[in-house]
Amino acid sequence: MAIATDVNDMSYYSFSESSVTSPRTIPPSFRLIMTSKLASGMFPVVDDEFVANHLDVLSHSVIASIRVRNGYEYPCHVYNYRYHYEVNIKIYLGTGWCSFCKSENIRSGDILEFFLHNGGNILVFNVHITPSQQ
């Protein structure tokens, strides 16, 4: 599971009182390195290890919100599936992903780190975008 490297700039990320311990806890996250297909709107599959560790939350959610640094949120459907020959459930972000990529000018090579935040009935991912060095 990917962990944020800049712990000093965590003011952007929301923490519930029950999840905060001392020292400050970094929320669960996964990292996605953008490819040209993903940047053009292909739905991304959430990291298998992340899904295995948080399946209880992810498998019951059908809608998520992708929240960027300026506070804007992009609604996004969450889909889960399992092919008959697979052991693990796959979770991917669907409808709404393309709008997010276009509006935030996401390009191939950008690194997106998704931090899971429990937003009640809606699953919320706070996203930190690191532009590619190209």
Side-chain angles (χ1 to χ4, degrees), residues 76-114:
C76 185
H77 283 91
V78 178
Y79 300 99
N80 61 61
Y81 66 95
R82 181 188 327 203
Y83 289 115
H84 65 280
Y85 55 84
E86 291 182 322
V87 175
N88 298 323
I89 290 177
K90 301 287 185 192
I91 305 283
Y92 67 96
L93 303 176
T95 308
W97 173 256
C98 191
S99 296
F100 162 71
C101 289
K102 286 179 183 176
S103 296
E104 295 299 319
N105 200 24
I106 304 296
R107 302 205 183 280
S108 179
D110 290 354
I111 299 171
L112 281 62
E113 192 149 15
F114 293 80

PDB file of all heavy atoms in Angstrom, residues 76-114:
ATOM      1  N   CYS A  76     -18.413   9.915  -8.630  1.00  0.00           N
ATOM      2  CA  CYS A  76     -17.889   8.811  -9.418  1.00  0.00           C
ATOM      3  C   CYS A  76     -18.517   7.509  -8.921  1.00  0.00           C
ATOM      4  O   CYS A  76     -18.586   7.281  -7.716  1.00  0.00           O
ATOM      5  CB  CYS A  76     -16.368   8.771  -9.259  1.00  0.00           C
ATOM      6  SG  CYS A  76     -15.550   7.559 -10.272  1.00  0.00           S
ATOM      7  N   HIS A  77     -18.984   6.680  -9.830  1.00  0.00           N
ATOM      8  CA  HIS A  77     -19.530   5.385  -9.429  1.00  0.00           C
ATOM      9  C   HIS A  77     -18.401   4.407  -9.130  1.00  0.00           C
ATOM     10  O   HIS A  77     -17.343   4.463  -9.736  1.00  0.00           O
ATOM     11  CB  HIS A  77     -20.424   4.815 -10.533  1.00  0.00           C
ATOM     12  CG  HIS A  77     -21.755   5.471 -10.582  1.00  0.00           C
ATOM     13  ND1 HIS A  77     -22.012   6.567 -11.367  1.00  0.00           N
ATOM     14  CD2 HIS A  77     -22.902   5.189  -9.915  1.00  0.00           C
ATOM     15  CE1 HIS A  77     -23.264   6.932 -11.197  1.00  0.00           C
ATOM     16  NE2 HIS A  77     -23.826   6.125 -10.322  1.00  0.00           N
ATOM     17  N   VAL A  78     -18.649   3.518  -8.183  1.00  0.00           N
ATOM     18  CA  VAL A  78     -17.710   2.464  -7.824  1.00  0.00           C
ATOM     19  C   VAL A  78     -18.347   1.139  -8.234  1.00  0.00           C
ATOM     20  O   VAL A  78     -19.487   0.858  -7.873  1.00  0.00           O
ATOM     21  CB  VAL A  78     -17.436   2.455  -6.305  1.00  0.00           C
ATOM     22  CG1 VAL A  78     -16.502   1.314  -5.933  1.00  0.00           C
ATOM     23  CG2 VAL A  78     -16.863   3.786  -5.866  1.00  0.00           C
ATOM     24  N   TYR A  79     -17.626   0.366  -9.013  1.00  0.00           N
ATOM     25  CA  TYR A  79     -18.127  -0.924  -9.471  1.00  0.00           C
ATOM     26  C   TYR A  79     -17.242  -2.031  -8.921  1.00  0.00           C
ATOM     27  O   TYR A  79     -16.044  -1.854  -8.766  1.00  0.00           O
ATOM     28  CB  TYR A  79     -18.116  -0.997 -11.000  1.00  0.00           C
ATOM     29  CG  TYR A  79     -18.961   0.066 -11.651  1.00  0.00           C
ATOM     30  CD1 TYR A  79     -18.393   1.225 -12.156  1.00  0.00           C
ATOM     31  CD2 TYR A  79     -20.336  -0.081 -11.745  1.00  0.00           C
ATOM     32  CE1 TYR A  79     -19.167   2.208 -12.756  1.00  0.00           C
ATOM     33  CE2 TYR A  79     -21.123   0.890 -12.340  1.00  0.00           C
ATOM     34  CZ  TYR A  79     -20.528   2.033 -12.840  1.00  0.00           C
ATOM     35  OH  TYR A  79     -21.294   2.995 -13.424  1.00  0.00           O
ATOM     36  N   ASN A  80     -17.847  -3.176  -8.631  1.00  0.00           N
ATOM     37  CA  ASN A  80     -17.041  -4.325  -8.250  1.00  0.00           C
ATOM     38  C   ASN A  80     -17.477  -5.518  -9.088  1.00  0.00           C
ATOM     39  O   ASN A  80     -18.631  -5.634  -9.486  1.00  0.00           O
ATOM     40  CB  ASN A  80     -17.108  -4.611  -6.749  1.00  0.00           C
ATOM     41  CG  ASN A  80     -18.482  -4.931  -6.255  1.00  0.00           C
ATOM     42  OD1 ASN A  80     -19.088  -5.907  -6.680  1.00  0.00           O
ATOM     43  ND2 ASN A  80     -19.003  -4.124  -5.341  1.00  0.00           N
ATOM     44  N   TYR A  81     -16.527  -6.362  -9.394  1.00  0.00           N
ATOM     45  CA  TYR A  81     -16.815  -7.546 -10.186  1.00  0.00           C
ATOM     46  C   TYR A  81     -15.794  -8.627  -9.862  1.00  0.00           C
ATOM     47  O   TYR A  81     -14.731  -8.367  -9.332  1.00  0.00           O
ATOM     48  CB  TYR A  81     -16.797  -7.241 -11.685  1.00  0.00           C
ATOM     49  CG  TYR A  81     -15.430  -6.844 -12.213  1.00  0.00           C
ATOM     50  CD1 TYR A  81     -14.587  -7.791 -12.775  1.00  0.00           C
ATOM     51  CD2 TYR A  81     -14.989  -5.530 -12.143  1.00  0.00           C
ATOM     52  CE1 TYR A  81     -13.332  -7.427 -13.245  1.00  0.00           C
ATOM     53  CE2 TYR A  81     -13.745  -5.164 -12.612  1.00  0.00           C
ATOM     54  CZ  TYR A  81     -12.927  -6.117 -13.172  1.00  0.00           C
ATOM     55  OH  TYR A  81     -11.691  -5.757 -13.629  1.00  0.00           O
ATOM     56  N   ARG A  82     -16.169  -9.834 -10.196  1.00  0.00           N
ATOM     57  CA  ARG A  82     -15.255 -10.963 -10.053  1.00  0.00           C
ATOM     58  C   ARG A  82     -15.546 -11.920 -11.206  1.00  0.00           C
ATOM     59  O   ARG A  82     -16.661 -12.398 -11.352  1.00  0.00           O
ATOM     60  CB  ARG A  82     -15.476 -11.677  -8.732  1.00  0.00           C
ATOM     61  CG  ARG A  82     -14.522 -12.839  -8.542  1.00  0.00           C
ATOM     62  CD  ARG A  82     -14.840 -13.678  -7.348  1.00  0.00           C
ATOM     63  NE  ARG A  82     -15.389 -12.915  -6.253  1.00  0.00           N
ATOM     64  CZ  ARG A  82     -15.345 -13.281  -5.007  1.00  0.00           C
ATOM     65  NH1 ARG A  82     -14.761 -14.384  -4.666  1.00  0.00           N
ATOM     66  NH2 ARG A  82     -15.895 -12.553  -4.073  1.00  0.00           N
ATOM     67  N   TYR A  83     -14.541 -12.160 -12.017  1.00  0.00           N
ATOM     68  CA  TYR A  83     -14.680 -13.157 -13.068  1.00  0.00           C
ATOM     69  C   TYR A  83     -14.679 -14.541 -12.422  1.00  0.00           C
ATOM     70  O   TYR A  83     -14.106 -14.743 -11.360  1.00  0.00           O
ATOM     71  CB  TYR A  83     -13.535 -13.062 -14.080  1.00  0.00           C
ATOM     72  CG  TYR A  83     -13.631 -11.834 -14.950  1.00  0.00           C
ATOM     73  CD1 TYR A  83     -12.672 -10.840 -14.890  1.00  0.00           C
ATOM     74  CD2 TYR A  83     -14.682 -11.680 -15.849  1.00  0.00           C
ATOM     75  CE1 TYR A  83     -12.751  -9.714 -15.688  1.00  0.00           C
ATOM     76  CE2 TYR A  83     -14.773 -10.561 -16.651  1.00  0.00           C
ATOM     77  CZ  TYR A  83     -13.807  -9.581 -16.567  1.00  0.00           C
ATOM     78  OH  TYR A  83     -13.890  -8.474 -17.354  1.00  0.00           O
ATOM     79  N   HIS A  84     -15.297 -15.486 -13.080  1.00  0.00           N
ATOM     80  CA  HIS A  84     -15.421 -16.831 -12.510  1.00  0.00           C
ATOM     81  C   HIS A  84     -14.066 -17.488 -12.228  1.00  0.00           C
ATOM     82  O   HIS A  84     -13.953 -18.333 -11.359  1.00  0.00           O
ATOM     83  CB  HIS A  84     -16.256 -17.736 -13.436  1.00  0.00           C
ATOM     84  CG  HIS A  84     -15.622 -17.993 -14.762  1.00  0.00           C
ATOM     85  ND1 HIS A  84     -15.666 -17.081 -15.795  1.00  0.00           N
ATOM     86  CD2 HIS A  84     -14.904 -19.042 -15.208  1.00  0.00           C
ATOM     87  CE1 HIS A  84     -15.011 -17.563 -16.828  1.00  0.00           C
ATOM     88  NE2 HIS A  84     -14.542 -18.753 -16.506  1.00  0.00           N
ATOM     89  N   TYR A  85     -13.019 -17.098 -12.924  1.00  0.00           N
ATOM     90  CA  TYR A  85     -11.699 -17.701 -12.733  1.00  0.00           C
ATOM     91  C   TYR A  85     -10.826 -16.915 -11.746  1.00  0.00           C
ATOM     92  O   TYR A  85      -9.708 -17.309 -11.469  1.00  0.00           O
ATOM     93  CB  TYR A  85     -10.960 -17.814 -14.067  1.00  0.00           C
ATOM     94  CG  TYR A  85     -10.829 -16.512 -14.811  1.00  0.00           C
ATOM     95  CD1 TYR A  85      -9.800 -15.628 -14.531  1.00  0.00           C
ATOM     96  CD2 TYR A  85     -11.756 -16.170 -15.786  1.00  0.00           C
ATOM     97  CE1 TYR A  85      -9.691 -14.419 -15.202  1.00  0.00           C
ATOM     98  CE2 TYR A  85     -11.647 -14.964 -16.474  1.00  0.00           C
ATOM     99  CZ  TYR A  85     -10.610 -14.102 -16.174  1.00  0.00           C
ATOM    100  OH  TYR A  85     -10.509 -12.911 -16.848  1.00  0.00           O
ATOM    101  N   GLU A  86     -11.327 -15.850 -11.183  1.00  0.00           N
ATOM    102  CA  GLU A  86     -10.552 -15.048 -10.246  1.00  0.00           C
ATOM    103  C   GLU A  86     -10.980 -15.304  -8.814  1.00  0.00           C
ATOM    104  O   GLU A  86     -12.147 -15.570  -8.535  1.00  0.00           O
ATOM    105  CB  GLU A  86     -10.716 -13.554 -10.545  1.00  0.00           C
ATOM    106  CG  GLU A  86     -10.061 -13.130 -11.831  1.00  0.00           C
ATOM    107  CD  GLU A  86     -10.218 -11.634 -12.064  1.00  0.00           C
ATOM    108  OE1 GLU A  86     -11.291 -11.092 -11.756  1.00  0.00           O
ATOM    109  OE2 GLU A  86      -9.262 -11.039 -12.560  1.00  0.00           O
ATOM    110  N   VAL A  87     -10.032 -15.198  -7.913  1.00  0.00           N
ATOM    111  CA  VAL A  87     -10.312 -15.387  -6.494  1.00  0.00           C
ATOM    112  C   VAL A  87     -10.769 -14.073  -5.867  1.00  0.00           C
ATOM    113  O   VAL A  87     -11.692 -14.043  -5.070  1.00  0.00           O
ATOM    114  CB  VAL A  87      -9.049 -15.907  -5.764  1.00  0.00           C
ATOM    115  CG1 VAL A  87      -9.286 -15.992  -4.270  1.00  0.00           C
ATOM    116  CG2 VAL A  87      -8.633 -17.247  -6.328  1.00  0.00           C
ATOM    117  N   ASN A  88     -10.125 -12.978  -6.231  1.00  0.00           N
ATOM    118  CA  ASN A  88     -10.374 -11.686  -5.598  1.00  0.00           C
ATOM    119  C   ASN A  88     -11.363 -10.832  -6.379  1.00  0.00           C
ATOM    120  O   ASN A  88     -11.407 -10.879  -7.598  1.00  0.00           O
ATOM    121  CB  ASN A  88      -9.065 -10.906  -5.452  1.00  0.00           C
ATOM    122  CG  ASN A  88      -8.077 -11.634  -4.578  1.00  0.00           C
ATOM    123  OD1 ASN A  88      -8.451 -12.264  -3.602  1.00  0.00           O
ATOM    124  ND2 ASN A  88      -6.816 -11.558  -4.940  1.00  0.00           N
ATOM    125  N   ILE A  89     -12.110 -10.029  -5.640  1.00  0.00           N
ATOM    126  CA  ILE A  89     -13.013  -9.052  -6.246  1.00  0.00           C
ATOM    127  C   ILE A  89     -12.176  -7.883  -6.763  1.00  0.00           C
ATOM    128  O   ILE A  89     -11.224  -7.464  -6.120  1.00  0.00           O
ATOM    129  CB  ILE A  89     -14.038  -8.548  -5.209  1.00  0.00           C
ATOM    130  CG1 ILE A  89     -15.010  -9.664  -4.868  1.00  0.00           C
ATOM    131  CG2 ILE A  89     -14.772  -7.308  -5.695  1.00  0.00           C
ATOM    132  CD1 ILE A  89     -16.014  -9.301  -3.792  1.00  0.00           C
ATOM    133  N   LYS A  90     -12.529  -7.369  -7.910  1.00  0.00           N
ATOM    134  CA  LYS A  90     -11.890  -6.184  -8.471  1.00  0.00           C
ATOM    135  C   LYS A  90     -12.830  -5.003  -8.258  1.00  0.00           C
ATOM    136  O   LYS A  90     -14.032  -5.108  -8.460  1.00  0.00           O
ATOM    137  CB  LYS A  90     -11.630  -6.341  -9.976  1.00  0.00           C
ATOM    138  CG  LYS A  90     -10.750  -7.515 -10.339  1.00  0.00           C
ATOM    139  CD  LYS A  90      -9.329  -7.248  -9.973  1.00  0.00           C
ATOM    140  CE  LYS A  90      -8.448  -8.380 -10.446  1.00  0.00           C
ATOM    141  NZ  LYS A  90      -7.124  -8.336  -9.915  1.00  0.00           N
ATOM    142  N   ILE A  91     -12.266  -3.885  -7.859  1.00  0.00           N
ATOM    143  CA  ILE A  91     -13.027  -2.648  -7.668  1.00  0.00           C
ATOM    144  C   ILE A  91     -12.474  -1.620  -8.645  1.00  0.00           C
ATOM    145  O   ILE A  91     -11.258  -1.477  -8.768  1.00  0.00           O
ATOM    146  CB  ILE A  91     -12.866  -2.103  -6.234  1.00  0.00           C
ATOM    147  CG1 ILE A  91     -13.247  -3.151  -5.186  1.00  0.00           C
ATOM    148  CG2 ILE A  91     -13.626  -0.799  -6.048  1.00  0.00           C
ATOM    149  CD1 ILE A  91     -14.706  -3.371  -4.997  1.00  0.00           C
ATOM    150  N   TYR A  92     -13.344  -0.943  -9.365  1.00  0.00           N
ATOM    151  CA  TYR A  92     -12.857   0.118 -10.237  1.00  0.00           C
ATOM    152  C   TYR A  92     -13.745   1.348 -10.159  1.00  0.00           C
ATOM    153  O   TYR A  92     -14.894   1.272  -9.760  1.00  0.00           O
ATOM    154  CB  TYR A  92     -12.665  -0.375 -11.671  1.00  0.00           C
ATOM    155  CG  TYR A  92     -13.918  -0.761 -12.415  1.00  0.00           C
ATOM    156  CD1 TYR A  92     -14.542   0.144 -13.261  1.00  0.00           C
ATOM    157  CD2 TYR A  92     -14.459  -2.037 -12.311  1.00  0.00           C
ATOM    158  CE1 TYR A  92     -15.676  -0.218 -13.966  1.00  0.00           C
ATOM    159  CE2 TYR A  92     -15.580  -2.401 -13.023  1.00  0.00           C
ATOM    160  CZ  TYR A  92     -16.184  -1.490 -13.843  1.00  0.00           C
ATOM    161  OH  TYR A  92     -17.311  -1.841 -14.533  1.00  0.00           O
ATOM    162  N   LEU A  93     -13.149   2.479 -10.503  1.00  0.00           N
ATOM    163  CA  LEU A  93     -13.863   3.750 -10.530  1.00  0.00           C
ATOM    164  C   LEU A  93     -14.441   3.917 -11.919  1.00  0.00           C
ATOM    165  O   LEU A  93     -13.731   3.768 -12.909  1.00  0.00           O
ATOM    166  CB  LEU A  93     -12.910   4.897 -10.196  1.00  0.00           C
ATOM    167  CG  LEU A  93     -12.195   4.780  -8.851  1.00  0.00           C
ATOM    168  CD1 LEU A  93     -11.206   5.916  -8.678  1.00  0.00           C
ATOM    169  CD2 LEU A  93     -13.188   4.752  -7.713  1.00  0.00           C
ATOM    170  N   GLY A  94     -15.718   4.228 -12.004  1.00  0.00           N
ATOM    171  CA  GLY A  94     -16.390   4.269 -13.298  1.00  0.00           C
ATOM    172  C   GLY A  94     -16.864   5.646 -13.687  1.00  0.00           C
ATOM    173  O   GLY A  94     -16.097   6.612 -13.709  1.00  0.00           O
ATOM    174  N   THR A  95     -18.149   5.744 -13.965  1.00  0.00           N
ATOM    175  CA  THR A  95     -18.766   6.969 -14.439  1.00  0.00           C
ATOM    176  C   THR A  95     -18.342   8.146 -13.555  1.00  0.00           C
ATOM    177  O   THR A  95     -18.458   8.095 -12.350  1.00  0.00           O
ATOM    178  CB  THR A  95     -20.299   6.831 -14.412  1.00  0.00           C
ATOM    179  OG1 THR A  95     -20.658   5.644 -15.104  1.00  0.00           O
ATOM    180  CG2 THR A  95     -20.971   8.033 -15.030  1.00  0.00           C
ATOM    181  N   GLY A  96     -17.832   9.189 -14.173  1.00  0.00           N
ATOM    182  CA  GLY A  96     -17.329  10.355 -13.458  1.00  0.00           C
ATOM    183  C   GLY A  96     -15.814  10.470 -13.553  1.00  0.00           C
ATOM    184  O   GLY A  96     -15.254  11.550 -13.413  1.00  0.00           O
ATOM    185  N   TRP A  97     -15.140   9.349 -13.812  1.00  0.00           N
ATOM    186  CA  TRP A  97     -13.680   9.339 -13.916  1.00  0.00           C
ATOM    187  C   TRP A  97     -13.196  10.216 -15.073  1.00  0.00           C
ATOM    188  O   TRP A  97     -12.268  11.001 -14.925  1.00  0.00           O
ATOM    189  CB  TRP A  97     -13.179   7.911 -14.092  1.00  0.00           C
ATOM    190  CG  TRP A  97     -11.720   7.819 -14.359  1.00  0.00           C
ATOM    191  CD1 TRP A  97     -11.116   7.569 -15.557  1.00  0.00           C
ATOM    192  CD2 TRP A  97     -10.662   8.030 -13.425  1.00  0.00           C
ATOM    193  NE1 TRP A  97      -9.756   7.589 -15.417  1.00  0.00           N
ATOM    194  CE2 TRP A  97      -9.454   7.871 -14.115  1.00  0.00           C
ATOM    195  CE3 TRP A  97     -10.616   8.336 -12.066  1.00  0.00           C
ATOM    196  CZ2 TRP A  97      -8.222   8.004 -13.496  1.00  0.00           C
ATOM    197  CZ3 TRP A  97      -9.384   8.466 -11.456  1.00  0.00           C
ATOM    198  CH2 TRP A  97      -8.208   8.302 -12.170  1.00  0.00           C
ATOM    199  N   CYS A  98     -13.837  10.115 -16.221  1.00  0.00           N
ATOM    200  CA  CYS A  98     -13.434  10.883 -17.408  1.00  0.00           C
ATOM    201  C   CYS A  98     -13.558  12.388 -17.146  1.00  0.00           C
ATOM    202  O   CYS A  98     -12.663  13.155 -17.506  1.00  0.00           O
ATOM    203  CB  CYS A  98     -14.274  10.462 -18.598  1.00  0.00           C
ATOM    204  SG  CYS A  98     -13.679  11.090 -20.173  1.00  0.00           S
ATOM    205  N   SER A  99     -14.641  12.811 -16.510  1.00  0.00           N
ATOM    206  CA  SER A  99     -14.818  14.236 -16.192  1.00  0.00           C
ATOM    207  C   SER A  99     -13.712  14.725 -15.266  1.00  0.00           C
ATOM    208  O   SER A  99     -13.186  15.822 -15.441  1.00  0.00           O
ATOM    209  CB  SER A  99     -16.163  14.468 -15.509  1.00  0.00           C
ATOM    210  OG  SER A  99     -17.208  14.158 -16.379  1.00  0.00           O
ATOM    211  N   PHE A 100     -13.364  13.909 -14.280  1.00  0.00           N
ATOM    212  CA  PHE A 100     -12.289  14.248 -13.362  1.00  0.00           C
ATOM    213  C   PHE A 100     -10.975  14.436 -14.127  1.00  0.00           C
ATOM    214  O   PHE A 100     -10.279  15.434 -13.940  1.00  0.00           O
ATOM    215  CB  PHE A 100     -12.150  13.147 -12.303  1.00  0.00           C
ATOM    216  CG  PHE A 100     -10.847  13.161 -11.567  1.00  0.00           C
ATOM    217  CD1 PHE A 100     -10.563  14.153 -10.648  1.00  0.00           C
ATOM    218  CD2 PHE A 100      -9.899  12.176 -11.793  1.00  0.00           C
ATOM    219  CE1 PHE A 100      -9.354  14.160  -9.963  1.00  0.00           C
ATOM    220  CE2 PHE A 100      -8.697  12.178 -11.116  1.00  0.00           C
ATOM    221  CZ  PHE A 100      -8.420  13.170 -10.206  1.00  0.00           C
ATOM    222  N   CYS A 101     -10.639  13.489 -15.001  1.00  0.00           N
ATOM    223  CA  CYS A 101      -9.376  13.561 -15.755  1.00  0.00           C
ATOM    224  C   CYS A 101      -9.311  14.801 -16.642  1.00  0.00           C
ATOM    225  O   CYS A 101      -8.289  15.482 -16.698  1.00  0.00           O
ATOM    226  CB  CYS A 101      -9.184  12.301 -16.605  1.00  0.00           C
ATOM    227  SG  CYS A 101      -8.825  10.830 -15.627  1.00  0.00           S
ATOM    228  N   LYS A 102     -10.412  15.097 -17.329  1.00  0.00           N
ATOM    229  CA  LYS A 102     -10.435  16.260 -18.219  1.00  0.00           C
ATOM    230  C   LYS A 102     -10.365  17.570 -17.438  1.00  0.00           C
ATOM    231  O   LYS A 102      -9.591  18.459 -17.769  1.00  0.00           O
ATOM    232  CB  LYS A 102     -11.689  16.232 -19.092  1.00  0.00           C
ATOM    233  CG  LYS A 102     -11.626  15.208 -20.188  1.00  0.00           C
ATOM    234  CD  LYS A 102     -12.896  15.208 -21.020  1.00  0.00           C
ATOM    235  CE  LYS A 102     -12.840  14.125 -22.078  1.00  0.00           C
ATOM    236  NZ  LYS A 102     -14.084  14.034 -22.844  1.00  0.00           N
ATOM    237  N   SER A 103     -11.171  17.692 -16.396  1.00  0.00           N
ATOM    238  CA  SER A 103     -11.226  18.941 -15.632  1.00  0.00           C
ATOM    239  C   SER A 103      -9.924  19.240 -14.905  1.00  0.00           C
ATOM    240  O   SER A 103      -9.527  20.397 -14.782  1.00  0.00           O
ATOM    241  CB  SER A 103     -12.359  18.886 -14.605  1.00  0.00           C
ATOM    242  OG  SER A 103     -13.597  18.798 -15.253  1.00  0.00           O
ATOM    243  N   GLU A 104      -9.252  18.204 -14.428  1.00  0.00           N
ATOM    244  CA  GLU A 104      -8.012  18.393 -13.680  1.00  0.00           C
ATOM    245  C   GLU A 104      -6.773  18.304 -14.578  1.00  0.00           C
ATOM    246  O   GLU A 104      -5.655  18.350 -14.088  1.00  0.00           O
ATOM    247  CB  GLU A 104      -7.912  17.376 -12.545  1.00  0.00           C
ATOM    248  CG  GLU A 104      -8.978  17.543 -11.486  1.00  0.00           C
ATOM    249  CD  GLU A 104      -8.903  18.898 -10.799  1.00  0.00           C
ATOM    250  OE1 GLU A 104      -7.793  19.383 -10.506  1.00  0.00           O
ATOM    251  OE2 GLU A 104      -9.982  19.492 -10.549  1.00  0.00           O
ATOM    252  N   ASN A 105      -7.005  18.182 -15.890  1.00  0.00           N
ATOM    253  CA  ASN A 105      -5.912  18.134 -16.873  1.00  0.00           C
ATOM    254  C   ASN A 105      -4.906  17.024 -16.535  1.00  0.00           C
ATOM    255  O   ASN A 105      -3.694  17.238 -16.554  1.00  0.00           O
ATOM    256  CB  ASN A 105      -5.218  19.493 -16.960  1.00  0.00           C
ATOM    257  CG  ASN A 105      -4.452  19.637 -18.258  1.00  0.00           C
ATOM    258  OD1 ASN A 105      -4.744  18.984 -19.246  1.00  0.00           O
ATOM    259  ND2 ASN A 105      -3.450  20.499 -18.245  1.00  0.00           N
ATOM    260  N   ILE A 106      -5.424  15.838 -16.224  1.00  0.00           N
ATOM    261  CA  ILE A 106      -4.597  14.685 -15.888  1.00  0.00           C
ATOM    262  C   ILE A 106      -3.947  14.157 -17.169  1.00  0.00           C
ATOM    263  O   ILE A 106      -4.599  14.016 -18.188  1.00  0.00           O
ATOM    264  CB  ILE A 106      -5.440  13.574 -15.228  1.00  0.00           C
ATOM    265  CG1 ILE A 106      -6.159  14.103 -14.000  1.00  0.00           C
ATOM    266  CG2 ILE A 106      -4.580  12.358 -14.914  1.00  0.00           C
ATOM    267  CD1 ILE A 106      -5.268  14.556 -12.879  1.00  0.00           C
ATOM    268  N   ARG A 107      -2.647  13.889 -17.094  1.00  0.00           N
ATOM    269  CA  ARG A 107      -1.886  13.429 -18.254  1.00  0.00           C
ATOM    270  C   ARG A 107      -1.153  12.130 -17.935  1.00  0.00           C
ATOM    271  O   ARG A 107      -0.934  11.795 -16.775  1.00  0.00           O
ATOM    272  CB  ARG A 107      -0.883  14.477 -18.671  1.00  0.00           C
ATOM    273  CG  ARG A 107      -1.518  15.823 -19.001  1.00  0.00           C
ATOM    274  CD  ARG A 107      -0.635  16.604 -19.949  1.00  0.00           C
ATOM    275  NE  ARG A 107      -1.168  17.915 -20.236  1.00  0.00           N
ATOM    276  CZ  ARG A 107      -2.133  18.176 -21.104  1.00  0.00           C
ATOM    277  NH1 ARG A 107      -2.695  17.206 -21.749  1.00  0.00           N
ATOM    278  NH2 ARG A 107      -2.540  19.407 -21.318  1.00  0.00           N
ATOM    279  N   SER A 108      -0.768  11.447 -18.985  1.00  0.00           N
ATOM    280  CA  SER A 108       0.024  10.231 -18.839  1.00  0.00           C
ATOM    281  C   SER A 108       1.307  10.552 -18.073  1.00  0.00           C
ATOM    282  O   SER A 108       1.962  11.555 -18.341  1.00  0.00           O
ATOM    283  CB  SER A 108       0.362   9.683 -20.232  1.00  0.00           C
ATOM    284  OG  SER A 108       1.132   8.523 -20.112  1.00  0.00           O
ATOM    285  N   GLY A 109       1.639   9.727 -17.102  1.00  0.00           N
ATOM    286  CA  GLY A 109       2.827   9.939 -16.284  1.00  0.00           C
ATOM    287  C   GLY A 109       2.546  10.621 -14.962  1.00  0.00           C
ATOM    288  O   GLY A 109       3.364  10.557 -14.043  1.00  0.00           O
ATOM    289  N   ASP A 110       1.390  11.293 -14.838  1.00  0.00           N
ATOM    290  CA  ASP A 110       1.025  11.904 -13.556  1.00  0.00           C
ATOM    291  C   ASP A 110       0.822  10.790 -12.520  1.00  0.00           C
ATOM    292  O   ASP A 110       0.418   9.679 -12.857  1.00  0.00           O
ATOM    293  CB  ASP A 110      -0.272  12.704 -13.668  1.00  0.00           C
ATOM    294  CG  ASP A 110      -0.122  13.981 -14.483  1.00  0.00           C
ATOM    295  OD1 ASP A 110       1.012  14.316 -14.867  1.00  0.00           O
ATOM    296  OD2 ASP A 110      -1.158  14.623 -14.736  1.00  0.00           O
ATOM    297  N   ILE A 111       1.108  11.114 -11.273  1.00  0.00           N
ATOM    298  CA  ILE A 111       0.904  10.161 -10.186  1.00  0.00           C
ATOM    299  C   ILE A 111      -0.229  10.680  -9.314  1.00  0.00           C
ATOM    300  O   ILE A 111      -0.195  11.816  -8.842  1.00  0.00           O
ATOM    301  CB  ILE A 111       2.189   9.981  -9.355  1.00  0.00           C
ATOM    302  CG1 ILE A 111       3.310   9.442 -10.239  1.00  0.00           C
ATOM    303  CG2 ILE A 111       1.930   9.057  -8.167  1.00  0.00           C
ATOM    304  CD1 ILE A 111       4.664   9.433  -9.570  1.00  0.00           C
ATOM    305  N   LEU A 112      -1.231   9.841  -9.124  1.00  0.00           N
ATOM    306  CA  LEU A 112      -2.373  10.198  -8.295  1.00  0.00           C
ATOM    307  C   LEU A 112      -2.354   9.315  -7.061  1.00  0.00           C
ATOM    308  O   LEU A 112      -2.240   8.091  -7.167  1.00  0.00           O
ATOM    309  CB  LEU A 112      -3.685   9.974  -9.042  1.00  0.00           C
ATOM    310  CG  LEU A 112      -4.103  11.044 -10.048  1.00  0.00           C
ATOM    311  CD1 LEU A 112      -3.106  11.195 -11.165  1.00  0.00           C
ATOM    312  CD2 LEU A 112      -5.466  10.739 -10.594  1.00  0.00           C
ATOM    313  N   GLU A 113      -2.443   9.927  -5.907  1.00  0.00           N
ATOM    314  CA  GLU A 113      -2.511   9.170  -4.667  1.00  0.00           C
ATOM    315  C   GLU A 113      -3.887   9.407  -4.065  1.00  0.00           C
ATOM    316  O   GLU A 113      -4.281  10.541  -3.812  1.00  0.00           O
ATOM    317  CB  GLU A 113      -1.413   9.579  -3.703  1.00  0.00           C
ATOM    318  CG  GLU A 113      -1.288   8.636  -2.553  1.00  0.00           C
ATOM    319  CD  GLU A 113       0.123   8.526  -2.025  1.00  0.00           C
ATOM    320  OE1 GLU A 113       0.957   9.380  -2.350  1.00  0.00           O
ATOM    321  OE2 GLU A 113       0.368   7.586  -1.274  1.00  0.00           O
ATOM    322  N   PHE A 114      -4.627   8.329  -3.875  1.00  0.00           N
ATOM    323  CA  PHE A 114      -5.988   8.361  -3.371  1.00  0.00           C
ATOM    324  C   PHE A 114      -5.983   8.008  -1.892  1.00  0.00           C
ATOM    325  O   PHE A 114      -5.550   6.921  -1.514  1.00  0.00           O
ATOM    326  CB  PHE A 114      -6.856   7.345  -4.123  1.00  0.00           C
ATOM    327  CG  PHE A 114      -7.073   7.671  -5.559  1.00  0.00           C
ATOM    328  CD1 PHE A 114      -6.100   7.394  -6.512  1.00  0.00           C
ATOM    329  CD2 PHE A 114      -8.251   8.265  -5.980  1.00  0.00           C
ATOM    330  CE1 PHE A 114      -6.300   7.689  -7.847  1.00  0.00           C
ATOM    331  CE2 PHE A 114      -8.467   8.560  -7.314  1.00  0.00           C
ATOM    332  CZ  PHE A 114      -7.492   8.277  -8.244  1.00  0.00           C
TER     333      PHE A 114
END
